[in-house]
């Protein structure tokens, strides 16, 4: 066996193309789709925001996703190794930025995912239905004030992520995704179906799909683009790492398109599941980040079979968060396995523990550390989220687009994409988008977010 062949097998490969697409979709579909997309859509007025978001996915998201997958499969490496072997020098920093961003995002992602696990537990015990609707939002306040519960649920979630990543690429990541993603999809379709036929259904569909362009201001446009990057897991080499485990015959353009389509469908379905409930019970669509943890449970407490719906919904949220959490950990683990030659168990356990520890201040940010503010009056969790989503990810996305469009030669990119008898007729379109459109749009968002524009 040639040594590159051995190296490939040692690193791991997806056992099937279906497995690769499911795992990538699992990474993309997460708290960003089910928790964040509905509430920011609510805050930015619905229809027009949704349409603009879809445009961002098409002209910026899909091109960058394909770019990441190409870089990963071509080098068969983690982000640092990939940039080092393709160009080296300052470009290696892009890989480093990705590994650090994965570390940072997962640290607080686990805390928010922990809230979802706590809510699943509450739903299973029938807590929402056994009390008066008006007292339900207090459950969230109580949770945020309890350092111990948050640490406990954060640890439970992190342990699950570590357990899956320990299993390796095909036995851990792929298997978990192949089980959880279809279940997630079924639950969501069921909840969306219920929503459409409930009294608030028509109002919700109108809110989501009939655009009122006067509501689309520059700020919402920027928010939509940032959300598209976060939701598709772009900008830190997660898709690069997953692409590095794809076999030669995988059609990467089709995979990038399918994953983006699934991600957008899940976000829209989450909206179709949540807004009818909001309208049926006369709540405000612009309820903000508490939409999923305060508004919805209040509604579950009044609904027939509310405990069942609540349990299904939070199970969905936990699954979505898990499949994203494992992709974040995998990026960091792949770096330590490839570059530092650590064994997978050692890398997974050690890095998992470190990330858990970095997440501790996030878990304490509403309790013990509530009086300490970091970036612009935000508590620790909000600061670190702000730092990661507004600085690290857009910067990473921008650099990856520039690298793929300007540094990677057409010969390398095209032959990588067209390996395994794949014909990519849209190559010129993709190349144009990733060379000019994506970098310019992401640069605008980035400059605006850091307040320079
Ligand atoms: N896309 C996931 C979500 O929507 C979060 C996520 C997972 C992510 N891996 C990522 C975001 C890598 C950016 C980069 O919740």
């Amino acid at each position: 066996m040639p040594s590159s062949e051995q190296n490939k097998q040692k690193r791991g490969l997806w056992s099937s193309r279906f497995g690769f697409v499911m795992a990538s979709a699992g990474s993309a579909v997460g708290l960003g789709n089910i928790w964040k997309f509905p509430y920011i859509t609510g805050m930015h007025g619905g229809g027009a925001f949704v349409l603009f978001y879809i445009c961002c996915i098409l002209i910026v998201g899909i091109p960058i996703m394909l770019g990441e997958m190409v870089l990963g499969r071509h080098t068969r490496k983690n982000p640092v190794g990939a940039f080092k072997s393709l160009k080296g020098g300052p470009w290696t920093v892009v890989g480093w930025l990705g590994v650090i961003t994965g570390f940072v995002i997962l640290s607080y992602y686990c805390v928010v995912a922990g809230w979802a696990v706590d809510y699943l537990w509450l739903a299973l015990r029938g807590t929402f239905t056994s009390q008066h609707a008006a007292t339900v939002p207090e459950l969230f306040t109580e949770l945020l004030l309890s350092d111990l519960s948050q640490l406990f649920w954060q640890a439970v979630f992190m342990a699950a992520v570590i357990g899956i990543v320990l299993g390796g690429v095909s036995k851990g990541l792929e298997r978990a995704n192949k089980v959880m993603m279809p279940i997630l999809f079924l639950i969501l379709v069921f909840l969306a179906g219920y929503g459409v036929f409930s009294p608030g259904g028509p109002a919700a569909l109108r809110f989501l799909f009939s655009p009122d362009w006067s509501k689309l201001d520059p700020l919402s446009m920027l928010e939509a683009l940032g959300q598209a990057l976060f939701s598709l897991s772009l900008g830190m080499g997660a898709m690069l790492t997953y692409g590095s485990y794809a076999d030669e015959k995988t059609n990467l353009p089709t995979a990038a398109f399918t994953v983006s389509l699934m991600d957008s469908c899940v976000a829209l379905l989450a909206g179709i599941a949540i807004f009818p409930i909001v309208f049926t019970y006369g709540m405000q669509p612009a309820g903000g980040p508490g939409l999923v943890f305060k508004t919805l449970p209040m509604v579950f407490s009044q609904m027939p079979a509310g405990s069942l719906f609540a349990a299904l919904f939070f199970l969905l949220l936990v699954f979505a968060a898990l499949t994203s959490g494992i992709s974040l950990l995998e990026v960091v683990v792949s770096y330590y396995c490839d570059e530092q030659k650590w064994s997978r168990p050692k890398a997974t356990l050690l890095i998992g523990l470190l990330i858990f520890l970095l997440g501790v201040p996030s878990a304490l940010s509403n309790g013990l550390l509530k009086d300490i503010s970091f970036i612009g009056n935000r508590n620790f969790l909000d600061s670190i989220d702000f730092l990661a989503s507004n600085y690290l990810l857009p910067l990473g996305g921008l650099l990856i687009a520039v690298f793929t469009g300007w540094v990677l030669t057409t010969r390398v990119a095209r032959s990588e994409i067209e390996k395994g008898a794949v014909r990519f007729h849209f190559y010129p379109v993709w190349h144009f988008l990733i060379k000019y459109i994506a970098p310019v749009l992401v640069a605008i968002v980035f400059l605006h977010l850091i307040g320079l524009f």
Side-chain angles (χ1 to χ4, degrees):
M1 207 191 290
S3 70
S4 69
E5 214 29 51
Q6 273 170 354
N7 173 39
K8 235 160 48 186
Q9 308 243 316
K10 211 171 89 231
R11 288 186 80 238
L13 277 181
W14 306 113
S15 72
S16 65
R17 267 154 264 166
F18 173 72
F20 166 54
V21 170
M22 276 298 153
S24 310
S27 167
V29 172
L31 296 171
N33 303 58
I34 301 168
W35 168 61
K36 203 163 173 204
F37 176 80
Y39 93 70
I40 61 174
T41 298
M43 288 171 65
H44 291 280
F49 179 84
V50 172
L51 281 180
F52 188 77
Y53 171 78
I54 293 173
C55 292
C56 293
I57 298 270
L58 289 173
I59 62 174
V60 179
I62 298 179
I64 296 187
M65 182 176 298
L66 179 55
E68 283 203 21
M69 288 175 172
V70 169
L71 295 176
R73 195 180 64 180
H74 184 67
T75 57
R76 298 233 170 263
K77 292 207 160 94
N78 63 92
V80 175
F83 283 98
K84 203 193 274 170
S85 69
L86 282 168
K87 194 74 194 165
W91 283 106
T92 312
V93 175
V94 184
W96 272 109
L97 187 70
V99 173
I100 294 169
T101 309
F103 211 93
V104 170
I105 296 186
L106 186 56
S107 78
Y108 70 86
Y109 203 81
C110 281
V111 175
V112 179
W115 301 343
V117 187
D118 178 60
Y119 268 57
L120 173 61
W121 173 240
L122 292 179
L124 289 174
R125 291 194 325 180
T127 313
F128 303 126
T129 39
S130 64
Q131 51 184 294
H132 196 275
T135 64
V136 168
E138 284 163 24
L139 292 167
F140 191 56
T141 321
E142 270 165 37
L143 173 64
L144 288 190
L145 288 177
S146 162
D147 291 334
L148 273 183
S149 326
Q150 287 188 86
L151 285 173
F152 174 74
W153 294 116
Q154 177 204 3
V156 168
F157 181 82
M158 194 66 200
V161 170
I162 291 176
I164 297 171
V165 174
L166 271 179
V169 176
S170 66
K171 297 221 173 65
L173 312 189
E174 181 171 347
R175 197 180 287 164
N177 277 294
K178 283 207 282 205
V179 173
M180 283 190 272
M181 289 303 288
I183 300 179
L184 177 153
F185 201 70
L186 285 180
I187 298 179
L188 195 55
V189 168
F190 174 72
L191 292 175
Y194 179 87
V196 170
F197 293 108
S198 67
L205 291 179
R206 236 176 294 123
F207 179 74
L208 279 171
F209 296 111
S210 79
D212 171 357
W213 296 106
S214 68
K215 292 211 173 112
L216 195 69
D217 53 28
L219 192 72
S220 339
M221 292 159 96
L222 295 167
E223 184 91 49
L225 182 53
Q227 169 67 9
L229 288 181
F230 183 86
S231 184
L232 293 176
S233 299
L234 300 176
M236 54 152 275
M239 291 300 166
L240 184 157
T241 306
Y242 273 20
S244 77
Y245 305 132
D247 82 24
E248 238 88 277
K249 296 201 197 69
T250 307
N251 184 328
L252 295 180
T254 309
F257 184 78
T258 315
V259 171
S260 307
L261 185 72
M262 286 166 69
D263 186 71
S264 314
C265 286
V266 169
L268 292 176
L269 282 170
I272 298 176
I274 292 171
F275 286 113
I277 307 184
V278 170
F279 285 110
T280 303
Y281 292 90
M283 327 269 325
Q284 278 307 317
L291 192 66
V292 158
F293 292 109
K294 285 184 180 163
T295 312
L296 265 192
M298 218 160 134
V299 169
F300 288 138
S301 77
Q302 299 174 315
M303 231 164 125
S307 289
L308 173 71
F309 281 98
L312 283 177
F313 181 80
F314 287 107
L315 182 67
L316 171 81
L317 198 58
V318 170
F319 275 7
L322 256 181
T323 53
S324 299
I326 59 184
S327 77
L328 288 160
L329 183 57
E330 181 64 23
V331 172
V332 188
V333 165
S334 73
Y335 164 75
Y336 280 95
C337 291
D338 290 353
E339 306 295 309
Q340 309 293 342
K341 308 288 176 237
W342 288 12
S343 69
R344 178 171 279 270
K346 173 178 167 192
T348 311
L349 290 170
L350 224 66
I351 301 303
L353 184 67
L354 269 177
I355 293 181
F356 172 78
L357 292 177
L358 180 66
V360 168
S362 292
L364 304 183
S365 60
N366 293 293
L368 193 64
L369 302 180
K370 72 172 179 311
D371 297 323
I372 310 178
S373 57
F374 296 83
I375 305 175
N377 251 337
R378 292 176 176 82
N379 66 23
F380 191 83
L381 192 156
D382 296 341
S383 303
I384 197 161
D385 176 26
F386 179 78
L387 181 75
S389 353
N390 295 354
Y391 288 77
L392 301 177
L393 282 183
L395 185 62
L398 176 64
L399 293 172
I400 290 173
V402 169
F403 187 87
T404 317
W406 295 84
V407 180
L408 200 67
T409 60
T410 297
R411 193 178 49 79
V412 171
R414 185 146 201 170
S415 64
E416 185 57 46
I417 294 176
E418 299 199 329
K419 260 185 196 157
V422 170
R423 293 261 100 221
F424 185 36
H425 301 292
F426 295 109
Y427 185 87
V429 180
W430 172 70
H431 197 74
F432 178 75
L433 289 173
I434 196 145
K435 189 163 184 168
Y436 301 104
I437 306 297
V440 170
L441 287 180
V442 178
I444 294 177
V445 174
F446 184 59
L447 293 179
H448 186 280
L449 288 174
I450 63 176
L452 288 180
F453 185 74

